[in-house]
């Protein structure tokens, strides 16, 4: 195993981690940025960084290339040992990095809710389908239903449309009233207003249906057109209709990747990491920024990252000047949480034979009578497969009201020899 | 016992695999049984174990109880639901060198004597049986009757069976004290019972201080699915040294094929560690030991690592029977690394003692009084 050390270690090279690295890079100490992907950029910028379009992304990339930040790509952090040391698996072996201060910026993932048919071929996560297209899947002339909740649905629909697909509908479970209130609040954030207006213009022609959610999916079967197609049932205030399509892109907003902060023992409240004014967590020398502290979008990730980078590198005065701006940005996150909170009807989509845990083939009937996640895990192995509960965990927490299960290393599957 | 004035005939403390097995045996005798656990069923050491049902010959008494229990498992197997994943895969005790080959022959003689079918494998036969073992090994002993079970589901099955027979199960109910009249709860409330059974595993000594039980920490790793990679439970012959040596810490090669295609890798033993965190130093030693015997394990994807505490006694035999100094308190605890195997036999011996019957094997070696007598 390779061992190194650094003054500031940042996990996650998305907007938050990049902003933290750029802010800390001027402080004189050594800064190391580590990410599991072959490229920096996180969920938004990763695919772009070869051919940068967004000015913000290029600014940070410059900070990286100026050599003050040591970037380690394709390295998945899977374990932590007490002396502020993280261990990661890379294609070339495992590395362990000890550090003075740590900034966690591990981002978020989509939340999936099980419904009958959610595991059929052709049914993807919204971000998941986007990633497949980025990876080369052709969706030219494919008919796609986009469903679930949250602003990501709009971004994904836009992306799919730009790549030649016909988006039949965007089914948003949140209520029309909440969405209207949310849209009215955007004036407080001019950049968001502009983005929203631009997005709306690009999505013209695609029905955006609030108060609407998917209840089941059937197929794929061979249609009259001799194509394999899915039959999706969507429900809108009491009335249901069936739509035929090629793909479904379905995700219910985002949930923070809490495994690493939980492993370190950071205090979690209401599903995100609790942080103070300088993004410090309850654990000494550990800071958190970006979606880990709550789903609040890219502006918030950037400013939180900057504060964390400044604070961790001792530039606290400078960090203080950003607190107000940060609080405004995280306010947007609270509005998101409120607007896209899941409606109770979604708890009743599952049927007894609906799979809950795809890794271990565990059905809803097998888990529904347990009082705790731990018992269900032990008895049925729900959440114990290779994804380690990343998919079914948030779903059962919502469906059954369970507390999140405890976390222990390795937080990602790792080759035995690197344990 | 079974006094009419008591609320229950038998109160069992602990719903691990041992408590659950005792509940079935006592309910079957017609006793009114209560089973209490401070947490949920099978969430203690039982959750952490490997589920190897193994005839083990460290001492004649150990062999007697493991062998007897194994027969009870085989009898139970047809009624176990699929979730229990009972599989009669057999064990191969792997010999690394010529010295250990002579141990293979000694062991074979002991098993023969006790009516346990075992086959000596030479180096080639070992590789034929398990192609993924390292090529430099000398051979092994294949024991047909050993099995594996998903002990968590089995514990639940036993518990539900006891409940069907009339037992009452209360989870998240801690017991604070035991007396000849029943159990005391932390609230001060008392539940009266004609007989009380201490099946609190590694914590049994908290309630019955005369039981000498020390937690002995172990680590296990489970991999992703590699169906067919391992066919038998494989244990290095040096295992007994590890299991019963008194060293502060030791590791031994021990792998188990799960029905799911996953592979469980063990095992480690540590005294003096009460922290359930993964200990990287010992985990690395354990993995390295595994690689010596099965090099391809190195490249396999490890999905989870966990630890558990074996309830260890000074002579490596469990405490089964009346606790010294009490009329109505019995012990069923201290099974170290064999509690899953021994659970069914333990329950029968305990029921026999409570009902005043003879048992198919002598009970004296497991009597809680033995340590007082010998010291
Ligand atoms: C699937 C998905 C698609 C999205 N698409 C869009 C979009 O199109 N438009 C938009 O505006 N917003 C999108 N978002 C939201 C966007 O990601 C957030 O708004 C952004 O602010 C998050 O920034 P971040 O730095 O907090 O996290 P991220 O950008 O998610 O960066 C976190 C990084 O940490 C890495 N990481 C996590 N754990 C480890 C570990 N243990 N070891 C090593 N590396 C690790 C991750 O791989 C990732 O690269 C998307 C989010 C998701 C989940
Ligand atoms: C790594 C490892 C591998 C193993 N592999 C094997 C194997 O392959 N084969 C085998 O046969 N054995 C194996 N074992 C051993 C086996 O797991 C144990 O011997 C067995 O599980 C002990 O069961 P138990 O019911 O006595 O204890 P436990 O399962 O610990 O049950 C005791 C119960 O008592 C409860 N309790 C404790 N105190 C109180 C109280 N005051 N009030 C109420 N309830 C209380 C606890 O919550 C717990 O549920 C292994 C053990 C380990 C650690």
């Amino acid at each position: 195993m390779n061992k190194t050390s650094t003054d500031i270690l940042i996990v996650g090279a998305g907007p938050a981690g990049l902003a933290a690295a750029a802010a800390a890079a001027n402080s004189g100490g050594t800064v190391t940025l580590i990410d599991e992907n072959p490229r920096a950029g996180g969920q938004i910028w990763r695919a772009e960084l070869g051919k940068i379009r967004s000015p913000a992304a290029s600014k940070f990339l410059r900070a990286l290339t100026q050599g003050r930040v040591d970037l380690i790509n394709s390295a998945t952090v899977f374990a932590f040992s007490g002396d502020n040391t993280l261990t990661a698996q890379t294609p070339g072996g495992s590395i362990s990095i000890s550090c003075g201060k740590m900034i966690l910026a591990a981002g978020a993932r989509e939340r999936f809710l099980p419904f009958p048919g959610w595991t059929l071929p052709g049914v993807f996560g919204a971000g998941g389908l986007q990633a497949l297209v980025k990876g080369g899947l052709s969706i030219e002339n494919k008919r796609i239903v986009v469903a679930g909740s949250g602003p990501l649905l709009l971004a994904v629909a836009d992306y799919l449309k730009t790549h030649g697909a016909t988006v039949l509908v965007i089914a948003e479970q949140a209520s029309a009233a909440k969405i209207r209130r949310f849209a009215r609040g955007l004036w407080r954030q001019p950049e968001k207003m502009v983005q929203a207006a631009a997005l709306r213009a690009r999505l013209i022609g695609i029905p955006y249906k609030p108060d609407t959610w998917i209840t089941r999916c059937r197929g794929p079967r061979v249609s009259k057109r001799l194509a394999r197609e899915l039959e999706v049932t969507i429900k809108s205030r009491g009335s249901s209709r069936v739509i035929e399509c090629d793909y479904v892109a379905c995700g219910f907003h985002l949930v923070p990747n809490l495994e690493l902060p939980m492993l370190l023992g950071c205090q979690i409240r209401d599903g995100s990491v609790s942080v103070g004014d300088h993004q410090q967590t309850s654990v000494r020398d550990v800071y958190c920024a970006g979606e880990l502290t709550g789903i609040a979008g890219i502006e918030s990730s950037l400013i939180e990252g900057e504060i964390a980078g400044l604070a961790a590198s001792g530039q606290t005065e400078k960090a203080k000047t950003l607190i107000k701006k940060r609080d405004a940005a995280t306010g947007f996150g609270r509005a998101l949480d409120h607007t896209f909170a899941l409606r109770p009807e979604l708890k009743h989509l599952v049927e007894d034979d609906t799979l809950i845990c795809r890794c271990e083939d565990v059905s809803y009937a097998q888990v529904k009578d347990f009082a705790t996640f731990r018992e269900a895990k032990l008895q049925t192995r729900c959440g114990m497969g290779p994804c380690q509960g990343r998919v079914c965990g948030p779903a059962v927490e919502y469906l059954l009201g369970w507390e999140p299960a405890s976390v222990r290393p390795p937080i990602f599957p790792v080759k035995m020899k690197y344990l | 016992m079974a006094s009419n004035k008591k609320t229950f005939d038998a109160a069992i403390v602990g719903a691990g695999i041992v408590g659950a097995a005792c509940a079935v045996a006592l309910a079957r005798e017609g006793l009114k049984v209560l089973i209490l656990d401070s947490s949920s069923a099978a969430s203690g050491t039982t959750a952490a174990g490997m589920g190897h049902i193994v005839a083990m010959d460290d001492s004649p008494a150990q062999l007697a109880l493991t062998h007897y229990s194994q027969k009870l498992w085989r009898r139970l197997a047809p009624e176990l639901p699929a979730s229990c994943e009972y599989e009669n895969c057999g064990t191969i005790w792997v010999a690394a060198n010529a010295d250990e080959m002579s141990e293979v022959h000694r062991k074979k003689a002991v098993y023969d004597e006790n009516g346990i079918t075992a086959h000596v494998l030479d180096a080639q036969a070992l590789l034929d049986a398990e192609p993924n073992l390292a090529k430099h090994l000398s051979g092994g002993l294949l024991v047909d009757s050993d099995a594996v079970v998903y002990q968590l589901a089995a514990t639940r099955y036993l518990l539900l069976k006891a409940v069907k027979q009339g037992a009452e199960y209360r989870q998240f109910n801690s017991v604070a004290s035991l007396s000849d009249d029943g159990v005391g709860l932390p609230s001060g409330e008392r539940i009266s019972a004609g007989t009380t059974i201490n099946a609190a595993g590694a914590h049994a000594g908290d309630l019955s201080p005369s039981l000498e039980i020390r937690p002995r920490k172990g680590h296990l790793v489970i991999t992703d699915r590699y169906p067919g990679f391992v066919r038998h439970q494989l244990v290095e012959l040096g295992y007994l040294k590890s299991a019963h040596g008194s060293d502060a810490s030791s590791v031994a090669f021990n792998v188990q094929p799960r029905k799911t295609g996953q592979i469980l890798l063990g095992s480690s033993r540590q005294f003096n560690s009460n922290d359930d965190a993964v200990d990287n130093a010992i985990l690395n030693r354990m993995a390295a030991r595994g690689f010596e015997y099965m090099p391809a394990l190195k490249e396999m994807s490890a999905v989870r690592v966990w630890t558990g505490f074996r309830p260890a006694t000074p002579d490596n035999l469990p405490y089964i029977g009346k606790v010294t100094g009490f009329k109505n308190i019995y012990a069923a605890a201290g099974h170290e690394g064999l509690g899953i195997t021994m659970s069914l036999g333990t329950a029968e011996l305990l029921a026999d003692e409570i009902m005043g019957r003879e048992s198919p094997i002598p009970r004296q070696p497991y009597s809680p009084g033995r340590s007082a007598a010998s010291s």
Side-chain angles (χ1 to χ4, degrees):
Chain A
M1 176 161 39
N2 262 317
K3 289 186 177 163
T4 63
S5 70
T6 182
D7 293 322
I8 299 178
L9 175 59
I10 304 168
V11 184
L18 287 168
N26 303 318
S27 67
T30 50
V31 178
T32 303
L33 179 56
I34 186 166
D35 195 287
E36 64 191 317
N37 290 282
R39 276 181 174 169
Q43 299 284 4
I44 300 190
W45 294 333
R46 190 181 299 140
E48 226 189 74
L49 278 179
K51 38 178 171 51
I52 301 140
R53 269 175 266 138
S54 120
S58 43
K59 176 176 128 202
F60 292 116
L61 196 64
R62 233 176 294 125
L64 288 191
T65 49
Q66 277 161 4
R68 292 244 184 63
V69 175
D70 186 13
L71 176 63
I72 307 177
N73 280 321
S74 304
T76 306
V77 174
F78 66 87
F80 164 70
S81 53
D83 46 350
N84 248 14
T85 302
L86 294 179
T87 309
Q89 168 169 253
T90 75
S94 72
I95 46 173
S96 103
I97 310 175
S98 64
C99 64
K101 312 258 182 195
M102 203 183 293
I103 301 175
L104 306 180
R109 59 176 177 267
E110 280 186 279
R111 172 163 49 199
F112 300 104
L113 291 184
F115 55 84
W118 74 291
T119 54
L120 289 172
V123 181
F124 299 100
L129 182 57
Q130 184 178 24
L132 286 177
V133 176
K134 284 182 186 171
L137 175 76
S138 165
I139 48 167
E140 191 75 40
N141 298 324
K142 295 290 183 196
R143 297 155 309 154
I144 303 179
V145 167
V146 175
S149 199
L152 182 59
L153 298 186
L154 298 172
V156 168
D158 174 38
Y159 183 88
L160 298 175
K161 185 181 171 195
T162 320
H163 286 76
T166 305
V167 177
L168 300 175
V169 64
I170 303 172
E172 166 60 66
Q173 60 89 34
S175 74
K178 277 186 172 175
I179 301 271
R180 267 197 307 276
R181 226 174 299 135
F182 177 71
R184 278 202 301 271
L186 280 185
W187 63 265
R188 268 175 282 215
Q189 303 237 344
E191 316 91 323
K192 291 229 145 61
M193 264 297 253
V194 175
Q195 287 163 14
L199 193 55
R200 200 154 59 210
R202 288 201 301 272
L203 291 177
I204 277 177
I206 302 180
Y208 180 70
K209 300 268 188 215
D211 286 303
T212 304
W213 61 95
I214 198 162
T215 58
R216 101 169 31 251
C217 185
R218 285 210 178 88
R221 62 180 184 83
V222 178
S223 69
K224 282 171 267 158
R225 301 181 351 177
L226 292 180
R228 293 162 69 75
E229 61 186 21
L230 296 164
E231 276 181 6
V232 180
T233 308
I234 62 172
K235 186 165 178 167
S236 254
R237 299 185 191 167
S239 74
S240 282
R241 68 184 168 116
V242 175
I243 303 177
E244 290 173 355
C245 65
D246 300 300
Y247 295 125
V248 176
C250 186
F252 291 85
H253 204 35
L254 305 176
V255 284
N257 292 321
L258 294 179
E259 292 75 15
L260 189 55
M262 281 173 76
L263 185 68
L264 268 63
C266 299
Q267 192 190 13
I268 311 288
R269 200 183 301 136
D270 297 333
S272 53
V273 182
S274 304
V275 288
D277 266 352
H278 291 152
Q279 305 297 131
Q280 73 277 23
T281 68
S282 62
V283 177
R284 226 186 114 145
D285 297 331
V286 177
Y287 299 76
C288 243
E291 308 279 56
L292 287 181
T293 69
I295 307 302
I298 183 164
E299 279 79 14
S300 172
S301 292
L302 289 172
I303 185 132
E304 286 191 8
E306 189 175 356
I307 293 177
L310 291 171
S313 58
Q315 309 175 67
T316 40
E317 287 310 312
K318 215 165 154 192
K320 271 187 195 143
T321 62
L322 299 172
I323 291 174
K324 250 204 178 127
K325 197 171 149 204
R326 192 261 327 267
D327 290 348
T330 51
F332 176 69
R334 279 193 298 279
L336 284 176
D337 287 347
H338 173 75
T339 309
F340 300 103
L342 299 178
R343 60 171 61 232
E345 289 96 325
L346 299 174
K347 286 191 182 170
H348 309 296
L349 304 181
V350 276
E351 293 174 353
D352 272 354
D353 61 356
T354 307
L355 278 191
I356 295 287
C357 171
R358 302 177 75 148
C359 298
E360 294 288 329
D361 286 350
V362 181
S363 70
Y364 184 61
Q366 285 172 277
V367 299
K368 66 180 179 186
D369 294 328
F370 290 101
T372 64
F373 202 165
R374 176 155 198 260
E375 270 178 275
K377 266 182 129 168
L378 293 176
Q379 287 295 335
T380 68
R381 290 204 284 266
C382 177
M384 303 241 265
C387 96
Q388 300 184 333
R390 284 180 171 75
V391 174
C392 66
V396 291
E397 285 157 29
Y398 170 69
L399 293 177
L400 298 162
W402 292 342
E403 293 290 317
S406 64
V407 168
R408 50 170 72 237
I411 59 169
F412 283 100
V414 59
K415 283 194 178 177
M416 285 276 206
K417 63 182 175 189
Y418 299 146
L419 267 178
Chain B
M1 39 131 298
S3 146
N4 319 344
K5 291 171 299 221
K6 307 286 186 194
T7 315
F8 292 93
D9 297 325
I12 300 172
V13 183
I17 195 158
V18 174
C22 291
V24 173
L26 296 180
R28 184 198 60 211
E29 300 296 342
L31 302 192
K32 192 172 176 213
V33 173
L34 170 68
I35 175 162
L36 296 142
D37 199 293
S38 49
S39 178
S40 56
S43 66
T45 304
T46 298
M50 235 187 183
H52 186 202
I53 297 172
V54 54
M56 192 103 119
D57 64 331
D58 188 36
S59 64
Q62 186 185 64
L63 186 58
L65 185 53
T66 52
H67 185 34
Y68 173 47
S69 297
Q70 191 172 66
K71 287 189 215 152
L72 296 172
W73 275 107
R74 213 169 314 138
R75 204 177 305 157
L76 183 71
E79 68 179 78
L80 289 174
S83 61
C84 294
E85 297 174 359
Y86 178 89
E87 190 152 75
N88 184 198
C89 62
T91 302
I92 299 177
W93 296 88
V94 181
N97 50 44
D99 274 1
E100 289 188 355
M101 257 336 257
S102 60
E103 169 65 10
V104 161
H105 291 285
R106 186 207 61 81
K107 206 174 168 71
K108 155 103 171 132
V110 173
Y111 283 21
D112 282 350
E113 233 168 80
N114 286 276
I116 301 168
T117 315
H119 319 270
V120 174
L121 307 179
D122 63 14
Q124 190 51 50
L126 178 66
L127 280 181
D128 291 344
E130 290 291 346
N132 291 306
L133 277 172
K135 307 281 178 265
H136 60 76
L137 302 166
S138 299
L141 186 70
L142 168 62
V143 183
D144 292 333
S145 53
D146 290 351
V148 301
V149 69
Y150 188 53
Q151 76 277 2
L152 288 149
T155 303
R156 184 173 154 84
Y157 173 75
L158 291 171
L159 204 57
L160 294 178
K161 181 170 171 178
V163 168
K164 252 189 236 147
Q165 292 172 344
E168 185 176 330
Y169 167 48
R170 296 188 195 159
Q171 57 175 2
F172 301 108
N173 253 283
S174 254
V175 170
S177 63
L178 308 182
S179 72
D180 278 332
D181 305 318
V183 303
L185 305 185
S187 62
E189 189 197 331
R190 306 201 61 80
I191 300 175
S192 66
T195 313
T196 299
I197 292 103
N198 184 346
H203 299 285
D206 301 351
L207 296 169
S208 305
S210 68
L211 303 179
E212 280 183 69
I213 297 180
R214 280 207 291 164
R216 201 171 189 192
K217 185 170 175 176
H219 287 72
L220 288 180
V221 181
I222 194 160
T223 68
D224 205 344
R225 300 182 181 204
Y226 300 94
F229 186 85
V230 180
R231 300 165 184 170
H232 306 81
Q233 175 109 16
L234 302 177
V235 189
E236 68 165 280
L237 262 171
Y239 181 81
L240 281 179
K241 266 184 270 155
S242 159
H244 302 314
S246 52
D247 298 2
S249 72
S250 64
V251 298
F253 168 69
N254 187 347
V255 300
Q256 177 174 98
R258 309 277 341 172
K259 254 194 175 164
T260 55
Q262 290 175 294
I263 298 166
L264 263 177
L265 173 69
S267 62
S268 70
R269 282 181 154 79
Q270 284 167 284
F271 278 126
N272 307 324
S273 170
N274 297 318
D275 171 3
D276 70 356
V278 170
D279 177 334
N280 282 318
I282 193 119
L283 179 63
N284 288 337
R285 271 175 65 194
M286 186 178 105
R289 192 81 185 161
F291 304 157
E292 281 173 37
Y293 283 82
M294 205 162 230
L297 285 173
K298 281 185 205 168
E299 302 300 324
M300 290 190 166
S301 181
V303 177
R304 274 173 299 117
V305 180
W306 66 90
T307 63
F309 294 96
R310 302 176 185 87
T313 63
D315 61 2
N316 293 307
L317 290 173
Y319 295 120
I320 307 167
K322 197 173 283 184
V323 175
T324 313
F326 293 89
K327 287 200 306 279
N328 300 322
I329 303 179
Y330 292 76
H335 295 76
E336 215 269 348
L338 289 169
I340 292 154
T341 306
M342 290 176 169
S343 56
L344 297 185
T346 297
E348 293 308 321
L349 299 190
L350 185 82
D352 291 341
E353 182 168 339
I354 290 176
M355 303 311 287
R357 288 190 301 248
E358 287 287 298
S359 293
I361 61 170
R363 289 199 295 264
Q364 201 284 328
Y366 323 106
S367 159
R370 70 182 186 274
S371 52
S374 64
S375 63

